[in-house]
Amino acid sequence: MTTLIVPDRASNPDIKALSGAASALGWAFAPVRYQLPDGFQATVPVVYGDPLFCDIVAAQLGVRLLEPSDDFLVRLPEEWRKRSVSLTTLADARLWEAGPVFAKPAADKSFPAMVYASGAALPDEEAVPGTTPVLLSEPVRWEVEWRLFVREGKIVTRSPYFRNGKLDFVARSEELGELRSFTKALLPEIEPLLPPVVVLDIGKIAGKGWAVVEANPAWASGLYGCDPKQTLIALSLATVPGDTQSAWLRPAALLE
């Protein structure tokens, strides 16, 4: 039986939604703390939660997690991202002096992803190590942003999540045609750059058009307005056996 393993946070709306979806699919549902109970077993585990939780639980289970590479946006052709993007270290990013820049950690969330006035405004060494990989990009204004859960190159569920900087999960009919045209052209072109299951955020940049925002691991991505059942169908590919050979494996956590 497939078992969905999540943090023991009953009030979390995503976990509540996925609990109901797991029951509908006939999956077992296991809310746990970071240390798995003695004798815990899951024939087919599917892990979901924040990166620290998923790393620790995956290590205890002897499984691995799939995620996109840190340099996905850099390798993505400019026609699909419509802005300049570079990958560097936080130490080098602190030297940026060419005006405002959007900066975000290339993996996880060690500091806020936002527009910084210059590199000097980024977190100092005491807060975040200078070796941390960082993505720097040209600041743009997103008119709308959508979340897509993509499994083997196909969208299984989708939802808008930001509109002009505010949370908004309501799809507008006038943008659906544009979204379909963009994703129909995009997904076959970028499939080789992504793992079998991924969350792809896309949106419309003011004055430039539709573009890719970023790619995220499906096992750590919020649902927003996405269908929980279809989300689980995507997630079923994100946890793989420990002996899997793949270019998309997240580094395994070392437990003391």
Side-chain angles (χ1 to χ4, degrees), residues 61-218:
L61 292 170
V63 297
R64 302 291 296 274
L65 302 167
L66 301 183
E67 66 179 2
S69 62
D70 290 350
D71 64 352
F72 163 71
L73 274 179
V74 177
R75 296 169 60 201
L76 187 68
E78 197 279 336
E79 66 177 298
W80 301 120
R81 64 174 193 247
K82 293 185 173 63
R83 65 203 187 278
S84 60
V85 180
S86 62
L87 177 65
T88 185
T89 64
L90 182 55
D92 285 343
R94 291 181 184 128
L95 303 177
W96 179 273
E97 296 180 344
V101 63
F102 180 86
K104 70 181 295 289
D108 300 336
K109 301 182 186 295
S110 53
F111 65 87
M114 55 183 281
V115 176
Y116 291 85
S118 70
L122 287 161
D124 61 21
E125 191 68 20
E126 186 174 339
V128 184
T131 54
T132 302
V134 173
L135 288 166
L136 299 179
S137 63
E138 165 193 354
V140 296
R141 182 173 68 83
W142 296 93
E143 295 179 346
V144 64
E145 297 176 54
W146 280 70
R147 170 144 296 180
L148 317 175
F149 279 82
V150 179
R151 174 185 163 124
E152 297 178 324
K154 306 293 183 183
I155 299 169
V156 297
T157 182
R158 66 191 183 191
S159 167
Y161 60 94
F162 275 124
R163 194 177 302 280
N164 295 316
K166 296 181 180 179
L167 282 174
D168 186 343
F169 302 160
V170 179
R172 295 187 179 179
S173 57
E174 63 268 20
E175 70 195 17
L176 287 174
E178 295 179 6
L179 182 143
R180 291 191 190 100
S181 295
F182 179 71
T183 55
K184 182 178 180 180
L186 169 72
L187 292 177
E189 291 293 320
I190 69 171
E191 188 173 1
L193 301 178
L194 294 169
V197 58
V198 69
V199 161
L200 193 66
D201 291 342
I202 67 171
K204 191 173 185 179
I205 300 174
K208 295 190 176 187
W210 288 86
V212 173
V213 179
E214 62 183 1
N216 294 296

Side-chain angles (χ1 to χ4, degrees), residues 7-25:
D8 188 8
R9 300 171 190 157
S11 62
N12 181 285
D14 286 347
I15 290 175
K16 289 175 68 174
L18 291 174
S19 168
S23 177
L25 288 171

